[in-house]
Amino acid sequence: MKTIDDFNFSGKKVLIRVDFNVPLNDKFEITDDTRIRAALPSIQKVISSGGSAILMSHLGRPKDAYDLKFSLKHIVPHLSELVGEKVKFADDCIGEKTLQIAKNLKPGEVLLLENLRFHKEEKEGDEKFASELAKLGDIYINDAFGTAHRAHASTTIVAKFFPEEKAFGYLIEKELTSMDKVIHNPERPFTAIMGGAKVSDKILLIENLLEKVDNLIIGGGMTYTFIKAQGGETGNSIVEEDKLQLALDLIKKAKEKDVNLIIPVDNIIADKFDNDANTQITSTDTIPDGWMGLDIGPKTIVDLKEIIQNSKTILWNGPMGVFEMSSFQTGTKSIAEAIAEATSKGAFSLIGGGDSVAAINKYQLKDKVSYVSTGGGAMLEYMEGKELPGIKAIRE
Ligand code: AMP
Protein backbone atom coordinates (compact mmCIF):
# COMPACT_ATOMS: atom_id res chain seq x y z
CA MET A 1 0.00 0.00 0.00
CA LYS A 2 1.31 3.43 -0.95
CA THR A 3 1.53 6.34 1.47
CA ILE A 4 1.27 10.00 0.55
CA ASP A 5 5.08 10.16 0.69
CA ASP A 6 5.45 7.54 -2.06
CA PHE A 7 3.98 9.71 -4.83
CA ASN A 8 5.59 12.11 -7.21
CA PHE A 9 2.89 14.78 -7.41
CA SER A 10 4.71 16.91 -9.94
CA GLY A 11 2.29 17.94 -12.71
CA LYS A 12 -0.49 15.77 -11.23
CA LYS A 13 -4.04 16.71 -10.34
CA VAL A 14 -4.64 15.36 -6.85
CA LEU A 15 -8.21 14.83 -5.69
CA ILE A 16 -8.26 15.13 -1.90
CA ARG A 17 -11.29 14.28 0.24
CA VAL A 18 -11.01 16.62 3.22
CA ASP A 19 -13.33 17.25 6.13
CA PHE A 20 -14.21 20.95 6.00
CA ASN A 21 -17.45 20.42 7.86
CA VAL A 22 -16.75 23.40 10.13
CA PRO A 23 -19.19 25.40 12.26
CA LEU A 24 -20.31 28.73 10.74
CA ASN A 25 -22.11 31.61 12.47
CA ASP A 26 -25.02 33.68 11.05
CA LYS A 27 -22.59 35.76 9.01
CA PHE A 28 -21.08 32.60 7.50
CA GLU A 29 -17.87 33.12 9.47
CA ILE A 30 -15.96 30.04 10.61
CA THR A 31 -16.12 29.75 14.40
CA ASP A 32 -13.68 26.83 14.70
CA ASP A 33 -11.19 26.06 11.93
CA THR A 34 -9.57 22.99 13.55
CA ARG A 35 -10.70 20.67 10.77
CA ILE A 36 -9.33 22.93 8.03
CA ARG A 37 -5.98 23.21 9.78
CA ALA A 38 -5.88 19.44 10.21
CA ALA A 39 -5.95 19.01 6.40
CA LEU A 40 -3.19 21.53 5.68
CA PRO A 41 -0.17 19.17 5.85
CA SER A 42 -1.56 16.99 3.03
CA ILE A 43 -2.53 20.01 0.91
CA GLN A 44 0.90 21.58 1.43
CA LYS A 45 2.64 18.33 0.54
CA VAL A 46 0.82 18.16 -2.81
CA ILE A 47 1.28 21.79 -3.85
CA SER A 48 4.84 22.14 -2.62
CA SER A 49 5.85 19.15 -4.73
CA GLY A 50 4.37 20.57 -7.92
CA GLY A 51 0.91 19.04 -7.91
CA SER A 52 -2.44 20.83 -7.96
CA ALA A 53 -4.87 20.07 -5.16
CA ILE A 54 -8.57 19.58 -5.84
CA LEU A 55 -10.37 19.60 -2.51
CA MET A 56 -13.78 18.05 -1.96
CA SER A 57 -15.84 18.03 1.23
CA HIS A 58 -19.31 18.14 2.65
CA LEU A 59 -20.62 20.91 4.91
CA GLY A 60 -23.60 20.47 7.20
CA ARG A 61 -26.72 18.59 6.22
CA PRO A 62 -28.25 20.14 3.09
CA LYS A 63 -31.39 18.49 1.74
CA ASP A 64 -29.83 17.04 -1.43
CA ALA A 65 -29.91 20.40 -3.25
CA TYR A 66 -28.13 23.74 -3.36
CA ASP A 67 -28.54 25.79 -0.20
CA LEU A 68 -26.48 28.96 0.30
CA LYS A 69 -26.28 28.22 4.03
CA PHE A 70 -24.19 25.14 3.31
CA SER A 71 -22.08 26.49 0.46
CA LEU A 72 -18.37 25.80 0.77
CA LYS A 73 -17.67 29.15 -0.88
CA HIS A 74 -17.85 30.63 2.64
CA ILE A 75 -14.67 28.74 3.43
CA VAL A 76 -12.62 30.11 0.51
CA PRO A 77 -11.25 33.36 2.06
CA HIS A 78 -10.04 31.70 5.25
CA LEU A 79 -8.70 28.66 3.42
CA SER A 80 -6.77 30.98 1.08
CA GLU A 81 -5.22 32.68 4.10
CA LEU A 82 -4.20 29.37 5.64
CA VAL A 83 -2.81 27.93 2.41
CA GLY A 84 -1.03 31.19 1.63
CA GLU A 85 -2.47 31.69 -1.82
CA LYS A 86 -5.83 32.39 -3.48
CA VAL A 87 -7.89 29.22 -3.61
CA LYS A 88 -10.12 28.76 -6.68
CA PHE A 89 -13.72 27.66 -6.30
CA ALA A 90 -15.97 25.53 -8.52
CA ASP A 91 -19.68 26.04 -7.89
CA ASP A 92 -20.49 22.41 -8.54
CA CYS A 93 -18.42 19.38 -7.55
CA ILE A 94 -19.04 17.61 -10.91
CA GLY A 95 -19.90 18.61 -14.49
CA GLU A 96 -18.17 19.88 -17.61
CA LYS A 97 -17.41 23.36 -16.25
CA THR A 98 -15.76 21.95 -13.14
CA LEU A 99 -13.76 19.48 -15.22
CA GLN A 100 -12.41 22.36 -17.30
CA ILE A 101 -11.41 24.37 -14.21
CA ALA A 102 -9.65 21.28 -12.85
CA LYS A 103 -7.86 20.63 -16.14
CA ASN A 104 -6.60 24.21 -16.30
CA LEU A 105 -5.11 24.18 -12.80
CA LYS A 106 -1.41 24.95 -12.74
CA PRO A 107 1.11 23.23 -10.47
CA GLY A 108 0.80 24.59 -6.94
CA GLU A 109 -2.80 25.75 -7.38
CA VAL A 110 -5.68 24.76 -5.12
CA LEU A 111 -9.30 24.29 -6.16
CA LEU A 112 -12.16 23.80 -3.71
CA LEU A 113 -15.29 22.09 -5.04
CA GLU A 114 -18.82 23.00 -3.93
CA ASN A 115 -20.48 20.88 -1.20
CA LEU A 116 -20.66 17.22 -2.25
CA ARG A 117 -23.95 16.77 -0.42
CA PHE A 118 -25.80 19.10 -2.79
CA HIS A 119 -26.06 15.84 -4.78
CA LYS A 120 -28.01 13.04 -3.11
CA GLU A 121 -25.72 10.58 -4.93
CA GLU A 122 -22.90 11.44 -2.53
CA LYS A 123 -24.53 9.84 0.52
CA GLU A 124 -26.02 7.06 -1.60
CA GLY A 125 -22.49 6.04 -2.59
CA ASP A 126 -23.55 6.26 -6.25
CA GLU A 127 -20.97 4.79 -8.58
CA LYS A 128 -21.73 7.05 -11.56
CA PHE A 129 -21.39 10.15 -9.37
CA ALA A 130 -18.13 8.77 -7.92
CA SER A 131 -16.82 8.23 -11.47
CA GLU A 132 -17.59 11.89 -12.27
CA LEU A 133 -15.55 12.97 -9.26
CA ALA A 134 -12.76 10.58 -10.24
CA LYS A 135 -12.41 12.26 -13.66
CA LEU A 136 -11.09 15.37 -11.92
CA GLY A 137 -7.88 13.82 -10.58
CA ASP A 138 -4.94 11.55 -11.39
CA ILE A 139 -4.42 10.54 -7.77
CA TYR A 140 -6.92 10.18 -4.91
CA ILE A 141 -6.02 11.03 -1.33
CA ASN A 142 -8.49 10.48 1.51
CA ASP A 143 -7.82 12.72 4.50
CA ALA A 144 -11.36 13.02 5.89
CA PHE A 145 -11.21 10.89 9.00
CA GLY A 146 -14.52 12.25 10.35
CA THR A 147 -16.45 10.56 7.50
CA ALA A 148 -14.29 7.43 7.10
CA HIS A 149 -17.07 5.33 8.65
CA ARG A 150 -19.47 6.26 5.83
CA ALA A 151 -19.56 4.43 2.49
CA HIS A 152 -20.21 7.64 0.56
CA ALA A 153 -19.19 8.30 -3.03
CA SER A 154 -16.28 10.63 -2.17
CA THR A 155 -15.02 8.72 0.87
CA THR A 156 -15.19 5.14 -0.38
CA ILE A 157 -16.62 4.44 -3.83
CA VAL A 158 -14.35 6.89 -5.67
CA ALA A 159 -11.29 4.87 -4.57
CA LYS A 160 -12.28 2.13 -7.06
CA PHE A 161 -11.28 4.42 -9.90
CA PHE A 162 -7.74 4.74 -8.57
CA PRO A 163 -6.68 1.11 -8.09
CA GLU A 164 -3.02 2.03 -7.53
CA GLU A 165 -3.03 5.81 -7.31
CA LYS A 166 -4.59 6.21 -3.88
CA ALA A 167 -3.41 6.81 -0.34
CA PHE A 168 -4.37 8.24 3.03
CA GLY A 169 -3.47 11.82 3.81
CA TYR A 170 -1.35 12.71 6.83
CA LEU A 171 -4.34 13.27 9.09
CA ILE A 172 -5.85 9.82 8.57
CA GLU A 173 -2.37 8.29 8.83
CA LYS A 174 -1.92 9.96 12.22
CA GLU A 175 -5.36 8.93 13.44
CA LEU A 176 -4.73 5.30 12.46
CA THR A 177 -1.26 5.19 14.00
CA SER A 178 -2.59 6.60 17.29
CA MET A 179 -5.59 4.29 17.46
CA ASP A 180 -3.59 1.21 16.45
CA LYS A 181 -0.98 1.94 19.08
CA VAL A 182 -3.68 2.06 21.75
CA ILE A 183 -5.83 -0.82 20.63
CA HIS A 184 -3.27 -3.25 19.21
CA ASN A 185 -0.01 -2.41 20.89
CA PRO A 186 -0.59 -0.70 24.25
CA GLU A 187 2.16 -0.31 26.78
CA ARG A 188 0.77 -1.42 30.14
CA PRO A 189 -0.97 -0.57 32.37
CA PHE A 190 -3.61 0.44 29.81
CA THR A 191 -6.49 2.49 31.24
CA ALA A 192 -9.65 3.45 29.40
CA ILE A 193 -11.86 6.20 30.81
CA MET A 194 -15.44 6.15 29.63
CA GLY A 195 -17.84 8.93 30.49
CA GLY A 196 -20.67 10.87 28.95
CA ALA A 197 -24.38 10.65 29.30
CA LYS A 198 -25.37 7.14 28.33
CA VAL A 199 -23.97 3.65 28.43
CA SER A 200 -26.13 2.64 25.43
CA ASP A 201 -23.99 4.72 23.02
CA LYS A 202 -20.83 2.98 24.16
CA ILE A 203 -21.75 -0.65 24.76
CA LEU A 204 -19.76 -2.03 21.84
CA LEU A 205 -16.72 0.04 22.71
CA ILE A 206 -16.82 -1.00 26.37
CA GLU A 207 -17.18 -4.66 25.36
CA ASN A 208 -14.23 -4.44 23.01
CA LEU A 209 -12.12 -2.58 25.58
CA LEU A 210 -12.76 -5.25 28.20
CA GLU A 211 -10.71 -7.57 25.98
CA LYS A 212 -7.75 -5.18 25.99
CA VAL A 213 -7.46 -2.93 29.05
CA ASP A 214 -6.10 -3.34 32.57
CA ASN A 215 -8.35 -0.64 34.06
CA LEU A 216 -11.73 0.52 32.83
CA ILE A 217 -13.02 3.66 34.50
CA ILE A 218 -16.72 4.46 34.27
CA GLY A 219 -17.85 8.05 34.89
CA GLY A 220 -20.46 10.62 33.92
CA GLY A 221 -24.14 9.82 33.60
CA MET A 222 -23.57 6.16 32.75
CA THR A 223 -22.37 5.59 36.33
CA TYR A 224 -25.93 5.46 37.60
CA THR A 225 -27.03 2.61 35.37
CA PHE A 226 -24.21 0.55 36.93
CA ILE A 227 -25.09 1.69 40.46
CA LYS A 228 -28.82 1.00 40.12
CA ALA A 229 -28.12 -2.39 38.53
CA GLN A 230 -26.29 -3.36 41.74
CA GLY A 231 -29.20 -2.22 43.93
CA GLY A 232 -28.03 1.32 44.76
CA GLU A 233 -30.30 4.34 45.34
CA THR A 234 -29.78 6.71 42.41
CA GLY A 235 -32.52 9.32 43.12
CA ASN A 236 -33.25 11.33 39.98
CA SER A 237 -29.90 10.65 38.28
CA ILE A 238 -30.04 9.48 34.67
CA VAL A 239 -30.50 5.73 34.56
CA GLU A 240 -31.16 3.61 31.50
CA GLU A 241 -33.67 1.16 32.96
CA ASP A 242 -33.43 -1.14 29.95
CA LYS A 243 -29.66 -1.44 30.33
CA LEU A 244 -29.50 -2.68 33.93
CA GLN A 245 -28.91 -6.30 32.94
CA LEU A 246 -26.30 -5.17 30.43
CA ALA A 247 -24.46 -3.28 33.19
CA LEU A 248 -24.43 -6.46 35.31
CA ASP A 249 -23.13 -8.44 32.34
CA LEU A 250 -20.32 -5.93 31.82
CA ILE A 251 -19.38 -6.13 35.51
CA LYS A 252 -19.29 -9.93 35.21
CA LYS A 253 -17.25 -9.83 32.01
CA ALA A 254 -14.73 -7.48 33.64
CA LYS A 255 -14.28 -9.99 36.48
CA GLU A 256 -13.81 -12.86 34.04
CA LYS A 257 -11.25 -10.89 32.05
CA ASP A 258 -9.48 -9.74 35.20
CA VAL A 259 -10.09 -6.11 34.29
CA ASN A 260 -10.16 -3.61 37.13
CA LEU A 261 -13.57 -1.97 36.55
CA ILE A 262 -13.82 1.27 38.49
CA ILE A 263 -17.24 2.73 39.19
CA PRO A 264 -17.32 6.06 41.10
CA VAL A 265 -17.87 5.68 44.84
CA ASP A 266 -18.91 9.26 45.57
CA ASN A 267 -20.42 12.15 43.65
CA ILE A 268 -21.75 15.68 43.69
CA ILE A 269 -25.51 15.67 43.67
CA ALA A 270 -27.81 18.57 42.84
CA ASP A 271 -31.49 19.29 43.52
CA LYS A 272 -31.97 20.45 39.92
CA PHE A 273 -30.16 20.34 36.58
CA ASP A 274 -28.80 23.84 36.99
CA ASN A 275 -25.47 25.48 37.69
CA ASP A 276 -27.04 27.29 40.68
CA ALA A 277 -28.67 24.20 42.18
CA ASN A 278 -28.09 23.25 45.82
CA THR A 279 -25.39 20.58 45.99
CA GLN A 280 -24.06 17.92 48.37
CA ILE A 281 -21.44 15.21 48.29
CA THR A 282 -22.77 11.67 48.82
CA SER A 283 -21.83 8.12 47.98
CA THR A 284 -23.11 7.18 44.54
CA ASP A 285 -25.51 4.55 45.91
CA THR A 286 -27.31 6.72 48.48
CA ILE A 287 -28.78 9.54 46.41
CA PRO A 288 -32.07 10.79 47.89
CA ASP A 289 -35.18 11.20 45.75
CA GLY A 290 -35.29 14.60 44.06
CA TRP A 291 -31.48 14.76 43.76
CA MET A 292 -29.28 13.78 40.85
CA GLY A 293 -25.58 13.00 40.46
CA LEU A 294 -23.91 15.50 38.14
CA ASP A 295 -20.18 15.03 38.81
CA ILE A 296 -17.81 12.52 40.39
CA GLY A 297 -16.87 13.26 44.01
CA PRO A 298 -13.55 14.06 45.76
CA LYS A 299 -12.75 10.51 46.89
CA THR A 300 -13.33 9.16 43.40
CA ILE A 301 -11.10 11.88 41.96
CA VAL A 302 -8.24 10.84 44.27
CA ASP A 303 -8.64 7.16 43.28
CA LEU A 304 -8.84 7.92 39.55
CA LYS A 305 -5.86 10.26 39.59
CA GLU A 306 -3.69 7.55 41.07
CA ILE A 307 -4.74 4.99 38.48
CA ILE A 308 -4.29 7.43 35.60
CA GLN A 309 -0.91 8.64 36.77
CA ASN A 310 0.37 5.07 36.98
CA SER A 311 -0.83 4.20 33.46
CA LYS A 312 1.33 3.94 30.37
CA THR A 313 -1.53 4.03 27.83
CA ILE A 314 -4.69 6.07 28.33
CA LEU A 315 -7.83 6.32 26.23
CA TRP A 316 -10.41 8.92 27.24
CA ASN A 317 -13.89 9.17 25.80
CA GLY A 318 -16.62 11.20 27.50
CA PRO A 319 -16.74 13.70 30.40
CA MET A 320 -16.99 12.70 34.07
CA GLY A 321 -19.87 15.07 34.76
CA VAL A 322 -21.86 17.97 33.36
CA PHE A 323 -18.63 19.88 32.74
CA GLU A 324 -20.45 22.55 30.68
CA MET A 325 -21.66 23.93 34.06
CA SER A 326 -18.89 25.29 36.29
CA SER A 327 -20.40 23.72 39.43
CA PHE A 328 -20.00 20.23 37.93
CA GLN A 329 -16.74 20.47 36.03
CA THR A 330 -14.21 19.57 38.73
CA GLY A 331 -14.20 15.83 37.98
CA THR A 332 -13.69 16.27 34.25
CA LYS A 333 -11.05 18.95 34.75
CA SER A 334 -9.13 16.85 37.31
CA ILE A 335 -9.15 13.82 35.01
CA ALA A 336 -7.96 15.95 32.06
CA GLU A 337 -5.12 17.30 34.23
CA ALA A 338 -4.17 13.82 35.45
CA ILE A 339 -3.98 12.60 31.84
CA ALA A 340 -1.74 15.54 30.93
CA GLU A 341 0.50 14.76 33.88
CA ALA A 342 0.74 11.06 33.00
CA THR A 343 1.61 12.08 29.44
CA SER A 344 4.42 14.31 30.68
CA LYS A 345 5.80 11.23 32.49
CA GLY A 346 5.84 9.21 29.26
CA ALA A 347 2.34 7.73 28.90
CA PHE A 348 0.63 7.69 25.51
CA SER A 349 -2.78 9.38 25.74
CA LEU A 350 -5.50 9.38 23.12
CA ILE A 351 -8.54 11.60 23.53
CA GLY A 352 -11.58 11.00 21.36
CA GLY A 353 -15.28 11.72 21.19
CA GLY A 354 -16.85 15.15 20.89
CA ASP A 355 -17.20 16.10 24.53
CA SER A 356 -13.86 14.93 25.86
CA VAL A 357 -12.22 16.83 23.00
CA ALA A 358 -14.27 19.91 23.99
CA ALA A 359 -13.11 19.41 27.59
CA ILE A 360 -9.42 19.09 26.68
CA ASN A 361 -9.72 22.30 24.65
CA LYS A 362 -11.61 24.09 27.42
CA TYR A 363 -8.81 23.35 29.90
CA GLN A 364 -6.15 24.20 27.29
CA LEU A 365 -4.48 20.82 27.57
CA LYS A 366 -4.57 19.92 23.89
CA ASP A 367 -0.79 20.18 23.57
CA LYS A 368 -0.21 18.22 26.77
CA VAL A 369 -1.78 14.96 25.60
CA SER A 370 -0.41 12.64 22.91
CA TYR A 371 -3.21 12.83 20.37
CA VAL A 372 -6.68 14.35 20.11
CA SER A 373 -8.81 12.55 17.54
CA THR A 374 -10.73 14.62 14.98
CA GLY A 375 -13.37 11.98 14.31
CA GLY A 376 -16.02 11.25 16.94
CA GLY A 377 -18.17 8.56 15.30
CA ALA A 378 -15.38 7.24 13.08
CA MET A 379 -13.06 6.85 16.04
CA LEU A 380 -15.68 5.08 18.14
CA GLU A 381 -16.38 2.59 15.34
CA TYR A 382 -12.69 1.90 14.70
CA MET A 383 -12.06 1.35 18.40
CA GLU A 384 -15.10 -0.95 18.55
CA GLY A 385 -13.13 -3.14 16.16
CA LYS A 386 -15.19 -2.37 13.03
CA GLU A 387 -13.66 -2.03 9.61
CA LEU A 388 -14.41 1.49 8.32
CA PRO A 389 -15.40 1.58 4.63
CA GLY A 390 -13.25 4.65 3.90
CA ILE A 391 -10.20 2.95 5.42
CA LYS A 392 -10.84 -0.39 3.72
CA ALA A 393 -11.23 1.30 0.31
CA ILE A 394 -7.65 2.58 0.48
CA ARG A 395 -6.14 -0.51 2.09
CA GLU A 396 -7.55 -3.09 -0.29
P1 AMP B 1 -21.72 11.84 25.43
O1 AMP B 1 -22.08 12.60 24.19
O2 AMP B 1 -22.47 10.57 25.61
O3 AMP B 1 -20.22 11.69 25.58
O4 AMP B 1 -22.25 12.72 26.63
C1 AMP B 1 -21.71 13.97 26.94
C2 AMP B 1 -22.68 14.68 27.82
O5 AMP B 1 -22.92 13.94 28.98
C3 AMP B 1 -22.20 16.04 28.26
O6 AMP B 1 -22.98 17.02 27.66
C4 AMP B 1 -22.38 16.01 29.77
O7 AMP B 1 -22.98 17.18 30.27
C5 AMP B 1 -23.30 14.84 29.99
N1 AMP B 1 -23.15 14.27 31.32
C6 AMP B 1 -22.02 13.89 31.92
N2 AMP B 1 -22.27 13.45 33.17
C7 AMP B 1 -23.59 13.54 33.37
C8 AMP B 1 -24.45 13.25 34.45
N3 AMP B 1 -23.98 12.77 35.59
N4 AMP B 1 -25.77 13.48 34.30
C9 AMP B 1 -26.25 13.97 33.13
N5 AMP B 1 -25.49 14.27 32.07
C10 AMP B 1 -24.18 14.05 32.18
Side-chain angles (χ1 to χ4, degrees):
M1 203 187 92
K2 284 185 184 163
T3 75
I4 184 168
D5 289 318
D6 295 328
F7 286 98
N8 177 2
F9 292 117
S10 179
K12 301 285 188 201
K13 306 278 189 287
V14 187
L15 185 62
I16 314 180
R17 178 49 159 105
V18 290
D19 180 2
F20 285 176
N21 183 28
V22 291
L24 300 176
N25 65 17
D26 295 348
K27 293 188 203 131
F28 302 126
E29 291 158 345
I30 302 164
T31 53
D32 180 352
D33 68 355
T34 311
R35 286 180 172 156
I36 301 180
R37 286 178 188 273
L40 290 177
S42 297
I43 300 170
Q44 294 294 4
K45 166 76 185 172
V46 167
I47 58 176
S48 66
S49 47
S52 2
I54 301 164
L55 311 179
M56 54 178 178
S57 177
H58 73 287
L59 174 64
R61 296 185 173 179
K63 298 212 161 46
D64 305 330
Y66 182 82
D67 183 342
L68 176 69
K69 208 164 70 200
F70 299 113
S71 173
L72 276 165
K73 76 175 180 194
H74 306 307
I75 312 291
V76 172
H78 189 58
L79 177 63
S80 300
E81 242 171 69
L82 292 176
V83 172
E85 69 162 284
K86 195 165 174 350
V87 170
K88 297 193 149 98
F89 184 71
D91 53 18
D92 194 354
C93 60
I94 54 167
E96 200 45 46
K97 200 173 140 207
T98 300
L99 191 58
Q100 280 316 314
I101 302 175
K103 280 210 167 116
N104 292 334
L105 284 177
K106 297 190 191 69
E109 287 189 329
V110 180
L111 169 66
L112 175 64
L113 307 179
E114 182 55 286
N115 195 339
L116 293 156
R117 290 196 188 164
F118 288 167
H119 294 265
K120 68 178 187 337
E121 291 82 358
E122 161 64 359
K123 281 170 83 174
E124 290 169 355
D126 183 85
E127 197 154 326
K128 166 105 187 7
F129 177 72
S131 76
E132 293 289 312
L133 294 171
K135 280 186 201 165
L136 301 170
D138 308 308
I139 297 167
Y140 168 64
I141 300 284
N142 186 1
D143 213 14
F145 182 63
T147 46
H149 57 319
R150 307 279 181 227
H152 294 169
S154 69
T155 62
T156 304
I157 314 302
V158 71
K160 279 187 197 169
F161 300 96
F162 301 88
E164 299 292 328
E165 306 299 278
K166 60 181 178 180
F168 296 123
Y170 290 120
L171 173 65
I172 291 199
E173 262 185 11
K174 226 156 70 184
E175 295 276 356
L176 293 176
T177 314
S178 307
M179 292 187 302
D180 286 339
K181 191 175 162 100
V182 165
I183 212 86
H184 297 309
N185 200 14
E187 221 187 303
R188 297 189 179 276
F190 174 14
T191 300
I193 308 157
M194 304 297 300
K198 294 194 209 150
V199 65
S200 51
D201 299 335
K202 298 184 183 167
I203 297 168
L204 292 175
L205 180 58
I206 294 176
E207 281 178 344
N208 195 31
L209 288 172
L210 285 174
E211 308 281 341
K212 321 239 176 209
V213 298
D214 303 294
N215 304 301
L216 181 67
I217 294 171
I218 298 290
M222 70 170 83
T223 304
Y224 303 99
T225 300
F226 284 88
I227 297 290
K228 181 140 189 201
Q230 298 174 94
E233 302 287 338
T234 52
N236 290 31
S237 310
I238 47 169
V239 169
E240 287 174 277
E241 297 287 348
D242 60 336
K243 294 291 179 288
L244 298 177
Q245 185 55 46
L246 171 92
L248 292 176
D249 294 344
L250 292 173
I251 293 170
K252 187 161 160 254
K253 185 170 176 187
K255 276 205 189 96
E256 285 163 10
K257 298 277 169 193
D258 217 9
V259 170
N260 180 23
L261 180 72
I262 303 113
I263 299 168
V265 290
D266 65 343
N267 61 177
I268 299 180
I269 60 171
D271 59 355
K272 55 182 178 205
F273 192 80
D274 191 308
N275 197 37
D276 299 321
N278 295 307
T279 61
Q280 305 177 42
I281 296 167
T282 66
S283 61
T284 41
D285 58 358
T286 56
I287 304 176
D289 279 344
W291 293 73
M292 62 193 92
L294 295 183
D295 195 6
I296 52 176
K299 175 153 186 349
T300 301
I301 291 177
V302 172
D303 295 348
L304 299 189
K305 271 186 158 170
E306 185 175 339
I307 292 169
I308 292 167
Q309 280 163 2
N310 287 319
S311 299
K312 283 274 170 255
T313 304
I314 302 160
L315 169 68
W316 182 28
N317 177 295
M320 296 290 99
V322 184
F323 76 105
E324 298 93 334
M325 299 183 196
S326 57
S327 306
F328 311 109
Q329 69 164 336
T330 309
T332 302
K333 188 162 185 255
S334 310
I335 266 40
E337 286 165 355
I339 296 172
E341 207 173 312
T343 313
S344 74
K345 291 191 292 185
F348 183 83
S349 53
L350 171 59
I351 319 298
D355 281 305
S356 21
V357 174
I360 276 289
N361 288 333
K362 180 169 178 183
Y363 307 125
Q364 297 177 353
L365 295 170
K366 190 168 161 265
D367 300 326
K368 301 217 157 73
V369 296
S370 308
Y371 192 67
V372 180
S373 175
T374 59
M379 185 216 181
L380 276 186
E381 289 195 19
Y382 193 86
M383 301 298 269
E384 283 166 6
K386 289 188 190 143
E387 194 169 40
L388 311 186
I391 302 301
K392 188 169 167 230
I394 298 287
R395 281 182 173 162
E396 72 188 0

